Amino acid sequence: MSKTRTTALFSLLAAVLVVPAAAQASSLWHPAPGEQGFTFHPDHSTSTKTRAEVLRELEQAKADGSYSYLQRGLAVPSRASGPGKTRAEVLKELVDMTPKERAYMNEMYSAP
């Protein structure tokens, strides 16, 4: 193998090995040895929001009650978009279902 070809091959190999490491250096999570397998570095993040915007969103979350759910790691319940159906309306839909729709529902919701 010629010297220039060997040099080019090693340069390419070095570039392939260095590029992923450079990409990880700018991320929030870094691989680490040990049981956890990673470390968290919040100082590597870049924010697009100002402090005032974040504080405004926090106050809004506290006002609408979603903040208390997020503090406990729970999903925020969705807001009802309107009144639900009555029992009579649901039963009417069930009775008015076409045979094709009924077969589909039976296929989807019956045990195998």
Side-chain angles (χ1 to χ4, degrees):
M1 207 183 275
S2 70
K3 184 176 179 179
T4 56
R5 189 170 185 184
T6 305
T7 304
L9 182 63
F10 282 125
S11 299
L12 179 63
L13 180 62
V16 166
L17 294 175
V18 169
V19 169
Q24 286 180 346
S26 64
S27 70
L28 292 175
W29 303 95
H30 295 275
E35 189 173 328
Q36 190 174 12
F38 61 87
T39 56
F40 180 65
H41 298 272
D43 53 321
H44 291 184
S45 70
T46 55
S47 179
T48 58
K49 295 182 181 181
T50 65
R51 180 172 174 79
E53 290 172 329
V54 172
L55 290 174
R56 192 175 327 114
E57 287 179 8
L58 176 62
E59 290 304 319
Q60 181 182 6
K62 285 180 179 180
D64 69 13
S66 61
Y67 181 69
S68 62
Y69 288 100
L70 296 172
Q71 272 186 314
R72 292 166 179 81
L74 302 172
V76 178
S78 63
R79 303 284 181 218
S81 60
K85 296 178 184 178
T86 64
R87 182 175 178 85
E89 290 171 332
V90 172
L91 289 173
K92 183 175 180 343
E93 283 182 8
L94 185 62
V95 170
D96 293 342
M97 196 178 294
T98 66
K100 185 177 179 181
E101 290 173 328
R102 189 175 307 278
Y104 177 74
M105 294 292 278
N106 286 337
E107 181 183 331
M108 291 296 294
Y109 296 111
S110 61

